[in-house]
Amino acid sequence: MMVTNPVFYKCPGCSGTVMVMNPDMCMAPTPEDLSVSCAGNEMEILSEQTADFAKEKHVPIVEKVEGGIKVTVGSTPHPMAEEHYIMWIGVQAGDDFMLHYLNPGDAPEAFFPCPDTDVKAFECCNVHNLWVNR
């Protein structure tokens, strides 16, 4: 089954994220009606953001490179410090969803073996949450 419109939730306690791959198959009328929890904490649904207004840039940028694509977070490299960093970058290309985890100190970018740049790119900042390229 194809990942149609994944929905992401974040724990307010530990900042862990959960992806619901096919929320339209759930009995809940909308993703907002799902009950997702982490260690007793109700997880918050993350809205997809696409416009940068802060000095930190978050929108994923997709570029073709040899063997696939590179996704970079922000037109200006995003900070990657303990208190503020990109937790993961993901891409959805048709039936495929690929994810790359990052840690403080890493470069805010990831490589994916996709044949072209026609993908939906996601990234999750531990402070500013979920961002997409479209």
Side-chain angles (χ1 to χ4, degrees), residues 9-125:
Y9 294 82
K10 183 177 175 184
C11 175
C14 70
S15 293
T17 55
V18 172
M19 178 176 80
V20 177
M21 295 182 285
N22 295 33
D24 47 328
M25 294 180 66
C26 183
M27 299 301 248
T30 68
E32 290 80 11
D33 295 319
L34 287 173
S35 177
V36 181
S37 64
C38 174
N41 293 313
E42 187 72 20
M43 296 181 85
E44 302 163 350
I45 193 166
L46 297 179
S47 299
E48 294 181 355
Q49 302 174 81
T50 59
D52 282 319
F53 298 110
K55 67 176 181 173
E56 296 93 3
K57 301 301 180 192
H58 290 90
V59 175
I61 298 169
V62 180
E63 67 179 291
K64 183 75 175 148
V65 296
E66 186 168 333
I69 60 171
K70 180 171 88 168
V71 178
T72 304
V73 177
S75 55
T76 301
H78 188 280
M80 293 297 287
E82 282 288 332
E83 65 279 354
H84 186 191
Y85 68 100
I86 302 305
M87 298 186 300
W88 53 262
I89 298 171
V91 294
Q92 181 178 4
D95 290 341
D96 297 319
F97 194 97
M98 294 167 267
L99 194 64
H100 182 81
Y101 292 98
L102 298 168
N103 293 298
D106 291 345
E109 62 188 36
F111 170 82
F112 298 98
C114 294
D116 63 51
T117 59
D118 185 25
V119 300
K120 185 173 183 181
F122 301 80
E123 69 91 344
C124 192
C125 172

